[in-house]
Amino acid sequence: MTQSEIANHKHKILFDTDPGIDDAMALLLALVSPEIEVVGVTTVFGNSHVEATTRNALNLLDLAGRPDIPVAKGADRPMVLPRGQTGEFVHGDDAMGNIGWTAVHNPDQKPLDVPAAQFIAETIMAHPGEITLVAVGPLTNVGLALQLEPRIAQAARGVVIMGGSVATPGNVSPLAEANIHNDPHAAALVFGAGWDVTMAGLDVTMAVRMDEDFFAALRRSGNRFGQFIGQIAPCYQQFHRERYGYPDGGVDTHDPSAIAYLIDPTLFRAERWSVVVPLDGPAMGATIADRRGRFWTTPKVNCLMQVDAARFLAMFQARLTA
Ligand code: RIB
Ligand code: CA
């Protein structure tokens, strides 16, 4: 594709996020990718409380030289349930790998006056058919936006989430993935709204491992985004070593998978199933897919089931070391 063809096919995204180490990797990948234009960032609780994830979003955009991208602060608790444990035990006290982010670095950078849900709804309605929502944290802001303005389900170009799993055990309960488990009511709204939803769940995100050699190459490169990822990775590597016994400094590649899908969907193989989210009990927050395609008639979700890990990692590394 020529540069102008890429520009015409660009995905304009709203990035809904709880940064978070892998959220930072995903945002930086998006910002260096010509296929993607980040039109706004919205923040949510998850890997930390929302004050911290908003601070991290502002600092990431400052670091990336993109303080012009608007940030809207969102929900600090799920739609219905009380908030569970936030993710500092995975992502560090500052949710950014313990690099000491305690304040917003650029005093001129402030979140918008409108809450995330309103910003999502207004942005989508102002650009019908153009905006793809990429949500890589609990789906609370998206659920609230749907309640505020149900027509976004027709007006959005699509939704790509990191969350859930079809055939892989959960990472916060035997069946549930963290983002869905953190707000199952919001997830149920998102899966039921009838828009074009792609689910990058644990089936693919745990099938791609970045390891110490990978991060060392990013650190060695002259690319300051890559160097930053190399700087925040050790905390995430330690969690994966302790929790899962991963060798060689390996980590799962959760949130970058949602961005990789937009950059190159041929990296993945997808199956379309109705997905239901139990709201309580031992399966709370699971994403149960009707894989026989005969029991449920609710909207089909594009579930990513397999990934070409080597090609994905090569693409990521090339872009973050260039
Ligand atoms: O389960 C992985 C997800 O939980 C990722 O989005 C990670 O950032 C955490 O929020
Ligand atoms: Ca996340």
Side-chain angles (χ1 to χ4, degrees):
M1 264 196 205
T2 65
Q3 285 307 315
S4 73
E5 280 169 335
I6 289 174
N8 289 336
H9 287 85
K10 242 183 188 173
H11 296 279
K12 290 187 191 335
I13 73 166
L14 275 177
F15 189 66
D16 188 66
T17 178
D18 59 337
I21 293 172
D22 59 324
D23 302 71
M25 294 177 184
L27 179 58
L28 294 176
L29 175 62
L31 290 172
V32 300
S33 293
E35 301 86 350
I36 293 176
E37 177 186 346
V38 181
V39 300
V41 172
T42 51
T43 57
V44 66
F45 75 95
N47 290 324
S48 190
H49 53 90
V50 79
E51 293 297 333
T53 61
T54 306
R55 173 201 67 213
N56 289 351
L58 291 167
N59 284 349
L60 285 167
L61 291 171
D62 181 51
L63 175 106
R66 295 301 309 274
D68 55 301
I69 296 177
V71 174
K73 184 166 77 175
D76 201 28
R77 48 155 292 181
M79 289 180 76
V80 176
L81 300 172
R83 192 177 69 194
Q85 184 187 19
T86 48
E88 291 86 352
F89 67 101
V90 181
H91 297 264
D93 291 342
D94 55 6
M96 201 45 67
N98 286 324
I99 56 171
W101 278 12
T102 54
V104 175
H105 294 159
N106 175 352
D108 296 336
Q109 250 186 317
K110 299 211 170 18
L112 299 171
D113 288 335
V114 293
Q118 186 183 339
F119 180 64
I120 290 170
E122 288 177 355
T123 307
I124 292 174
M125 293 312 290
H127 305 278
E130 284 186 32
I131 304 292
T132 301
L133 249 176
V134 180
V136 298
L139 291 167
T140 316
N141 292 334
V142 188
L144 291 170
L146 276 168
Q147 282 189 332
L148 211 55
E149 178 47 275
R151 292 176 301 168
I152 63 172
Q154 287 79 50
R157 178 169 167 188
V159 182
V160 182
I161 68 160
M162 186 284 131
S165 104
V166 172
T168 303
N171 62 355
V172 289
S173 83
L175 295 175
E177 180 281 329
N179 287 339
I180 307 297
H181 192 265
N182 269 331
D183 195 344
H185 295 81
L189 281 179
V190 171
F191 288 128
W195 46 9
D196 177 16
V197 181
T198 291
M199 182 174 110
L202 301 180
D203 306 289
V204 290
T205 69
M206 294 186 81
V208 181
R209 290 261 179 98
M210 296 173 174
D211 64 12
E212 179 51 28
D213 286 349
F214 184 90
F215 292 120
L218 298 190
R219 274 185 221 110
R220 274 197 311 273
S221 76
N223 182 310
R224 63 196 175 84
F225 292 8
Q227 288 168 350
F228 180 75
I229 291 170
Q231 184 190 353
I232 60 178
C235 172
Y236 207 43
Q237 292 173 286
Q238 185 183 343
F239 167 78
H240 284 82
R241 190 161 44 241
E242 288 169 6
R243 171 65 63 96
Y244 299 113
Y246 286 2
D248 307 321
V251 305
D252 296 321
T253 308
H254 295 303
D255 294 348
S257 300
I259 298 296
Y261 175 74
L262 286 180
I263 293 171
D264 183 0
T266 73
L267 292 169
F268 299 91
R269 186 183 69 75
E271 296 174 6
R272 298 184 69 80
W273 309 119
S274 295
V275 172
V276 162
V277 181
L279 301 179
D280 52 26
M284 185 181 86
T287 44
I288 305 177
D290 176 15
R291 298 187 73 192
R292 296 197 191 279
R294 58 183 300 175
F295 300 111
W296 298 329
T297 54
T298 47
K300 297 273 191 289
V301 175
N302 192 41
C303 304
L304 305 187
M305 299 300 295
Q306 285 181 337
V307 54
D308 185 336
R311 204 151 63 80
F312 179 167
L313 290 170
M315 179 275 287
F316 189 105
Q317 193 171 64
R319 291 183 182 210
L320 275 303
T321 55

